[in-house]
């Protein structure tokens, strides 16, 4: 993960939460130009939709369909949408003061579904 500490540290909606680094040979690494995911998550719940802001998204894992295709992204997230009295490192360390949970996002849609 890469974190930008020059931005407004109290508003997690603008936090840099991830960076894509890749290598074809395991020796020479390149930095991607865009974050693979952000702190803004579109949610569909009981027919409505809205956006939530999380402080962090960490430990990404992929789930695969029976055919072997990636189907879901699983990340650990911190529920804090802002961190006004938090540490000087900003939203990245709000996770020590807010609820954390696992977020499962389908890759076939730009929305996250929550089923009760």
């Amino acid at each position: 993960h890469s974190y930008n500490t020059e931005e407004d540290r109290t508003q997690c909606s603008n936090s840099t939460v991830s960076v894509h680094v890749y290598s074809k040979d395991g020796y020479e690494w390149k930095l991607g130009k865009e974050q693979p995911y952000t702190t803004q998550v579109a949610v569909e719940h009981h027919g409505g939709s809205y956006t939530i802001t999380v402080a962090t998204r960490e430990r990404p894992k992929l789930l695969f369909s029976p055919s072997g295709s990636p189907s879901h992204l699983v990340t650990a997230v911190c529920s804090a949408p802002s961190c006004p009295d938090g540490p000087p490192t900003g939203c990245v360390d709000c996770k020590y003061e807010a609820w954390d949970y696992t977020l499962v996002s389908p890759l076939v849609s730009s929305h996250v579904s929550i089923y009760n």
Side-chain angles (χ1 to χ4, degrees), residues 11-116:
Q11 298 303 312
C12 300
S13 61
N14 298 320
S15 292
T16 301
V17 294
S18 64
V19 64
H20 179 69
V21 180
Y22 60 96
S23 173
K24 291 183 178 181
D25 59 13
Y27 294 101
E28 185 176 327
W29 291 85
K30 297 185 180 187
L31 183 65
K33 295 180 181 172
E34 296 183 24
Q35 293 188 77
Y37 46 83
T38 69
T39 59
Q40 302 296 293
V41 180
V43 177
E44 285 186 9
H45 189 254
H46 297 295
S49 63
Y50 54 94
T51 300
I52 61 170
T53 299
V54 296
T56 62
R57 291 182 79 180
E58 302 179 19
R59 299 185 296 281
K61 306 278 187 285
L62 287 174
L63 295 180
F64 294 87
S65 71
S67 67
S69 299
S71 62
H72 293 78
L73 174 66
V74 179
T75 52
V77 299
C78 171
S79 62
S82 65
C83 202
D85 298 320
T89 53
C91 292
V92 66
D93 285 328
C94 282
K95 62 188 168 194
Y96 301 112
E97 298 176 12
W99 287 97
D100 296 335
Y101 59 93
T102 301
L103 179 69
V104 180
S105 305
L107 296 177
V108 294
S109 171
S110 61
H111 297 347
V112 175
S113 297
I114 299 174
Y115 300 100
N116 288 333

Side-chain angles (χ1 to χ4, degrees), residues 1-17:
H1 295 282
S2 174
Y3 304 101
N4 181 356
T5 56
E6 298 301 315
E7 60 199 19
D8 180 0
R9 295 181 181 115
T10 66
Q11 298 303 312
C12 300
S13 61
N14 298 320
S15 292
T16 301
V17 294

